[in-house]
Amino acid sequence: MDPKALVPPLGNDPASVRQRVESLEKIMERMIVIPGLRQGVGLDVILDLVPFAGSTAAAALGAYVAWEARNLKMSKWDMTRMAGNVGIDWLLGLIPFFGAIPDFFFRSNSRNLRIIKKHLDRHHPASATVESTTAPNPSS
């Protein structure tokens, strides 16, 4: 695999922003899949196992997504919703050790990604990517 394929683009264009936000969301929410449950766990849940500092670090990474939204000139309402998602996630994560449990279900980064994608699809449709839902051909 080409190492350059793992690095999100650095541009300010909507397609580059979309790739960066999608990459961060995957790392934060779905980095590892739990066998049997097929449920993804990311850095957000793992960081919540470290009291206060972990939740704060996860909130800082979540705030980066909101900063990207600001760069896209998203509405103040959408940015307020995103900040609320990060804030709720941070508050839930402050509960020592048990804060990872609600974070497993309240995925602020996934919620914020949906808000950004909705904005990008409406205002920058050329940045959309087509995802294949077909299974790979086993005969090849």
Side-chain angles (χ1 to χ4, degrees):
M1 175 178 263
D2 181 21
K4 289 183 181 181
L6 300 175
V7 178
L10 299 176
N12 289 330
D13 59 292
S16 297
V17 171
R18 180 186 290 259
Q19 279 189 286
R20 281 195 304 270
V21 172
E22 287 174 348
S23 297
L24 183 61
E25 186 270 342
K26 184 173 182 177
I27 291 168
M28 294 298 290
E29 304 292 0
R30 310 178 274 119
M31 185 170 57
I32 304 166
V33 176
I34 298 174
L37 293 179
R38 290 184 283 162
Q39 180 70 31
V41 174
L43 191 58
D44 199 5
V45 171
I46 295 167
L47 285 171
D48 278 344
L49 297 175
V50 179
F52 186 73
S55 181
T56 302
L61 290 168
Y64 170 76
V65 174
W67 180 75
E68 287 282 16
R70 182 190 66 84
N71 290 340
L72 290 171
K73 298 180 178 25
M74 289 180 62
S75 72
K76 288 185 181 182
W77 170 246
D78 285 341
M79 290 176 37
T80 301
R81 287 176 51 207
M82 293 174 69
N85 287 336
V86 172
I88 290 169
D89 191 20
W90 178 71
L91 286 172
L92 291 172
L94 288 178
I95 304 166
F97 304 108
F98 295 105
I101 296 169
D103 200 25
F104 188 72
F105 299 103
F106 183 82
R107 297 174 179 262
S108 65
N109 295 295
S110 297
R111 291 169 184 257
N112 289 344
L113 176 63
R114 279 193 300 272
I115 294 170
I116 288 177
K117 279 184 168 182
K118 185 176 177 182
H119 171 82
L120 286 172
D121 291 346
R122 187 179 316 127
H123 298 286
H124 306 281
S127 71
T129 56
V130 178
E131 295 180 20
S132 173
T133 57
T134 59
N137 186 355
S139 64
S140 54

